[in-house]
Amino acid sequence: MAEEADRSALSDAARVAELLPDFDQHSGCLAESGELWEELRLRLEEARIQACERRVELESQVAEARKRVSEAEREKADACEGEKAAAAAMSEKAEMLADAQVELKNVEVEHNAAKEDGRSFAAEGDELRCTKAQAEEILEGPFRQLVDATWESSKCKKSAVLAVGSFLQGIGAEKTLFAAVAGALGKAPDQRGEFDKIAVDAVSQALSANLLRIEKRLAERAPAEREARAEMLGLWALMDICCEKADALEKEHKALQEALKAAKAKSASTRKEAAKRSSDLDPLLHASQVQTNKEKAAIDALAAFDRLVESSVHQRSLAAHVVEPRTDAVEASDIGTAEAAFGDEHDALDAPVSKKARLHDDLESSSGIGLDEAVQLPSPARASVSS
């Protein structure tokens, strides 16, 4: 029991010495000087108060830092969601742009094919119209001059005869008509006989039949030409619409690319800020824990200090009961009486009462004064009490 008490006292002294490095110099005088006791305890209490105040201050800073970390985490989460939304929007727009570009390409291919087909078809129609114009020109020009004999000179007549003959040859007319042109049409109307008139009528019918053939072919192909023109116009309009659509989607896609770039930058910035605020919080948490430990150490040191003072006063109280040995002989009855008194006092010390109350009773029984009064007495006065 004594060894355990000694170890407990050493442990309490170590706790106090952690906060009061000079405590070892005064530990043996705790019960002798009330002023020293009050001074040391006041220093321990000041250490506890300082640690408590610093802990409260740090806890306030920690709460504010936690709030800033929470705000940064929310901003980071919002930025992350914004980045995801921007990426999804850009991906969707990219698909739409790809579809529009494919559609435009198909329309361009169809338009080019229709244009190529329409080019040959249009060329055939242009050729027919050109042939019709030539037939009309021959019929109303050289042939009419020869029929009406309105040529101005023999040279003009000869030129008209050659023009009509060449045209008849070109359209595949009978060769007998070639001779009729020169023989019948080369005469004045009043000089033509029956055969000449028949020849002139035959040439007129051939030219008119050729013109009717051309007009019929043109009439037959007119619906197809109108349809081809309508198709070309439709394809052209569709190509314009597809081109405008693709251009608009491309602009929107570029804008979304910029938006995604900005969203990624914001997300990276918020992640960096959240990491910084979190790293700023860690030292505050550590410092707050340190101050909490210091405050607990101060509280433990105060309790240890009180136990040490109480133990010191108790030891001094026990020392007051030790009687100096007598030089003369002691009666046996007196010895028995002293032993009985000491036994009673020993039983009283071991009774289940508080330590402070026990010390108070010991001092009163030995010196007639209380514990509080004994602590406040200066060293000489306590010495006299002890004597």
Side-chain angles (χ1 to χ4, degrees):
M1 292 293 292
E3 292 179 358
E4 184 177 352
D6 291 340
R7 284 196 300 271
S8 177
L10 289 174
S11 177
D12 287 341
R15 287 192 180 93
V16 177
E18 288 181 359
L19 278 82
L20 303 178
D22 59 343
F23 177 71
D24 292 338
Q25 302 175 11
H26 310 291
S27 59
C29 309
L30 293 178
E32 297 179 1
S33 173
E35 294 180 358
L36 176 62
W37 181 86
E38 290 294 339
E39 178 187 352
L40 294 176
R41 199 178 196 289
L42 180 61
R43 287 169 61 187
L44 289 173
E45 184 64 24
E46 288 177 350
R48 184 194 67 78
I49 292 173
Q50 289 177 359
C52 178
E53 291 176 348
R54 180 57 180 159
R55 175 184 59 79
V56 172
E57 179 183 355
L58 286 171
E59 286 179 350
S60 176
Q61 295 178 10
V62 166
E64 183 64 25
R66 287 185 186 277
K67 181 179 178 182
R68 295 180 71 247
V69 168
S70 298
E71 292 174 352
E73 289 295 333
R74 284 196 300 271
E75 291 177 358
K76 183 179 74 171
D78 292 342
C80 183
E81 290 299 322
E83 180 182 355
K84 291 180 180 178
M90 193 198 72
S91 178
E92 181 181 0
K93 193 65 67 176
E95 292 179 1
M96 294 174 63
L97 175 59
D99 293 341
Q101 290 174 339
V102 169
E103 182 181 9
L104 175 60
K105 185 66 177 178
N106 293 336
V107 171
E108 287 178 344
V109 170
E110 187 177 357
H111 176 268
N112 292 335
K115 186 177 181 181
E116 188 64 27
D117 294 340
R119 184 180 289 112
S120 59
F121 187 73
E124 182 181 351
D126 292 340
E127 184 179 358
L128 280 174
R129 279 183 284 273
C130 183
T131 303
K132 178 186 175 184
Q134 291 175 355
E136 290 174 343
E137 183 180 358
I138 291 294
L139 190 61
E140 298 299 329
F143 178 72
R144 182 55 53 192
Q145 288 180 2
L146 293 173
V147 171
D148 297 337
T150 56
W151 58 79
E152 297 177 356
S153 62
S154 59
K155 183 178 180 180
C156 290
K157 183 179 73 171
K158 185 178 180 180
S159 177
V161 170
L162 289 174
V164 173
S166 297
F167 186 79
L168 290 172
Q169 185 179 5
I171 64 175
E174 296 181 4
K175 293 181 180 181
T176 55
L177 293 178
F178 302 157
V181 171
L185 291 174
K187 297 177 182 179
D190 55 353
Q191 295 178 358
R192 295 171 188 160
E194 290 299 325
F195 179 77
D196 293 332
K197 291 180 181 179
I198 294 172
V200 170
D201 290 339
V203 172
S204 177
Q205 290 176 5
L207 293 175
S208 297
N210 177 68
L211 181 59
L212 289 174
R213 244 185 346 264
I214 294 173
E215 289 177 346
K216 182 179 180 181
R217 290 179 60 187
L218 288 173
E220 289 174 351
R221 62 181 286 115
E225 286 183 343
R226 288 193 296 270
E227 184 178 351
R229 282 195 298 270
E231 182 182 6
M232 285 298 299
L233 290 174
L235 289 173
W236 190 276
L238 181 59
M239 188 170 65
D240 285 345
I241 293 173
C242 291
C243 186
E244 291 176 358
K245 180 180 177 182
D247 290 343
L249 287 173
E250 186 173 3
K251 291 180 181 178
E252 293 174 2
H253 182 257
K254 288 181 178 179
L256 288 174
Q257 281 182 323
E258 293 298 323
L260 178 59
K261 183 178 178 181
K264 286 183 177 180
K266 183 178 181 181
S267 181
S269 176
T270 54
R271 285 197 300 270
K272 183 178 179 180
E273 181 64 20
K276 180 180 179 299
R277 292 186 182 184
S278 180
S279 64
D280 291 342
L281 174 62
D282 292 339
L284 291 175
L285 291 173
H286 177 71
S288 177
Q289 186 60 46
V290 169
Q291 292 302 319
T292 300
N293 295 339
K294 286 184 178 180
E295 183 181 9
K296 184 178 183 303
I299 294 173
D300 293 342
L302 279 169
F305 181 79
D306 290 342
R307 288 193 295 270
L308 288 172
V309 171
E310 185 177 1
S311 176
S312 179
V313 172
H314 179 65
Q315 294 296 330
R316 186 168 182 80
S317 174
L318 292 178
H321 289 78
V322 177
V323 182
E324 295 292 335
R326 298 179 181 178
T327 56
D328 54 343
V330 181
E331 295 292 336
S333 60
D334 294 336
I335 294 174
T337 303
E339 289 177 349
F342 183 75
D344 293 340
E345 292 174 357
H346 184 271
D347 293 338
L349 290 174
D350 291 338
V353 295
S354 68
K355 290 183 179 181
K356 188 172 182 180
R358 186 170 65 251
L359 293 176
H360 188 275
D361 294 340
D362 290 341
L363 284 176
E364 284 185 338
S365 65
S366 62
S367 59
I369 62 175
L371 172 60
D372 297 336
E373 294 173 322
V375 170
Q376 299 298 326
L377 288 175
S379 298
R382 283 197 298 274
S384 63
V385 170
S386 298
S387 62

